[in-house]
């Protein structure tokens, strides 16, 4: 199956700083990537749809200025949590879609802890 | 509005017993339905999708458009089936996929 890699897998930062999380599709081109947030023992909440070469589409209630998404190439999307606060602490997961099948391939997730 | 409902947060069965994880959906068009599984300390991965109509690891799921359901079934549960199961819906192609709340399956020896 296809491989999606996220980096870093774990990051701790101070309140007020910005953190960038990378999502790469290693063996296929992904015109569309998705960013999810998962709270402990809860489901995945779709944050935004990242489209290569265009602006991301954010879900209702997700601050686009807070969570900056860039999808500059067919294999890389980045999520930047700007001016992070403790309530932004969460598990962030990316996925890439193979448009021919609709199947999603998931990254291993990135755990963000904001002190 | 798109919605995926998994009514059971936790399902506990004995090894060898049948198991059914329920999933209901609401969608205005023709959705694509998936089941994803997350084993302990592993990433989410696709288990099966309705369009392929296949059996994976003994699991099957039939799309019932009349009841808007896509329940996951297995006749004889195994301990290694213990995991978190998510039902998911997509509008097709690169359209966004939304997930149900998930059901944790625990298969007891």
């Amino acid at each position: 199956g296809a491989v999606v890699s996220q980096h870093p897998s774990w990051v701790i930062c101070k309140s007020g700083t910005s953190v960038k999380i990378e999502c790469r599709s290693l063996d296929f081109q992904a015109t569309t990537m998705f960013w999810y947030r998962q709270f402990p023992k809860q489901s995945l909440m779709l944050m935004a749809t990242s489209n290569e070469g265009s602006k991301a589409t954010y879900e209702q209630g997700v601050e686009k200025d807070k969570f900056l998404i860039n999808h500059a190439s067919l294999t890389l999307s980045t999520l930047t949590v700007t001016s992070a606060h403790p309530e932004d602490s969460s598990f962030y997961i990316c996925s890439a879609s193979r448009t021919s099948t609709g199947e999603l391939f998931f990254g291993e997730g990135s755990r963000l802890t904001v002190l | 509005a798109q919605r995926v409902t998994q009514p059971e947060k936790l399902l506990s069965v004995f090894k060898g017993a049948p198991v059914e994880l329920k999933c209901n959906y609401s969608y205005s068009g023709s959705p694509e339905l998936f089941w994803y599984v997350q084993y302990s300390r592993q990433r989410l991965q696709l288990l099966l999708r309705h369009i392929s109509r296949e059996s994976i690891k003994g699991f099957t799921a039939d799309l019932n458009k009349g009841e808007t359901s896509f329940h996951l079934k297995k006749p004889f549960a195994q301990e290694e089936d213990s995991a978190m199961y998510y039902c998911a819906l997509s509008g097709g192609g690169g359209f966004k996929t939304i997930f149900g709340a998930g059901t944790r399956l625990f298969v007891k020896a």
Side-chain angles (χ1 to χ4, degrees):
Chain A
V3 179
V4 174
S5 177
Q6 269 183 256
H7 178 80
S9 56
W10 187 44
V11 57
I12 300 174
C13 69
K14 292 183 179 180
S15 187
T17 61
S18 295
V19 174
K20 180 186 283 187
I21 301 170
E22 294 185 348
C23 178
R24 294 181 184 273
S25 57
L26 298 184
D27 53 357
F28 70 104
Q29 293 182 332
T31 55
T32 305
M33 290 184 172
F34 302 93
W35 287 95
Y36 293 86
R37 184 172 179 175
Q38 187 176 34
F39 293 99
K41 298 185 180 180
Q42 293 190 32
S43 185
L44 289 80
M45 183 195 78
L46 179 64
M47 298 175 65
T49 302
S50 172
N51 300 298
E52 187 268 335
S54 64
K55 291 183 179 180
T57 304
Y58 290 82
E59 294 300 300
Q60 193 172 14
V62 178
E63 298 177 61
K64 60 180 69 175
D65 295 329
K66 175 76 170 173
F67 300 99
L68 300 179
I69 291 172
N70 184 278
H71 194 157
S73 78
L74 287 171
T75 60
L76 174 64
S77 175
T78 61
L79 168 69
T80 302
V81 183
T82 62
S83 187
H85 290 283
E87 56 265 30
D88 298 325
S89 298
S90 193
F91 196 58
Y92 293 89
I93 304 172
C94 78
S95 68
S97 170
R98 249 191 179 147
T99 55
S100 58
T101 64
E103 178 181 354
L104 292 180
F105 297 92
F106 287 86
E108 56 269 67
S110 300
R111 183 164 300 285
L112 170 64
T113 301
V114 184
L115 303 176
Chain B
Q2 289 177 242
R3 185 178 297 169
V4 179
T5 304
Q6 292 180 251
E8 304 136 329
K9 281 191 174 181
L10 173 66
L11 189 60
S12 183
V13 301
F14 282 102
K15 176 182 174 181
V19 63
E20 180 180 52
L21 287 78
K22 290 184 168 50
C23 172
N24 287 88
Y25 68 90
S26 63
Y27 188 74
S28 56
S30 295
E32 292 183 17
L33 275 298
F34 305 83
W35 276 98
Y36 285 86
V37 60
Q38 188 170 29
Y39 299 103
S40 179
R41 298 179 185 176
Q42 294 186 29
R43 69 183 71 190
L44 266 165
Q45 58 186 286
L46 179 69
L47 179 62
L48 53 80
R49 73 197 86 175
H50 89 271
I51 57 173
S52 58
R53 303 181 68 82
E54 57 194 344
S55 173
I56 303 293
K57 298 183 179 182
F59 285 97
T60 58
D62 291 318
L63 179 61
N64 186 322
K65 292 185 178 180
E67 296 182 358
T68 59
S69 68
F70 188 56
H71 304 325
L72 183 68
K73 300 177 184 179
K74 184 169 183 176
F76 308 103
Q78 303 299 313
E79 289 182 75
E80 55 265 30
D81 296 329
S82 296
M84 194 73 178
Y85 291 81
Y86 293 96
C87 183
L89 175 154
S90 168
F95 200 74
K96 65 182 181 183
T97 300
I98 61 168
F99 288 79
T103 298
R104 181 166 297 282
L105 174 64
F106 182 56
V107 182
K108 298 176 284 189

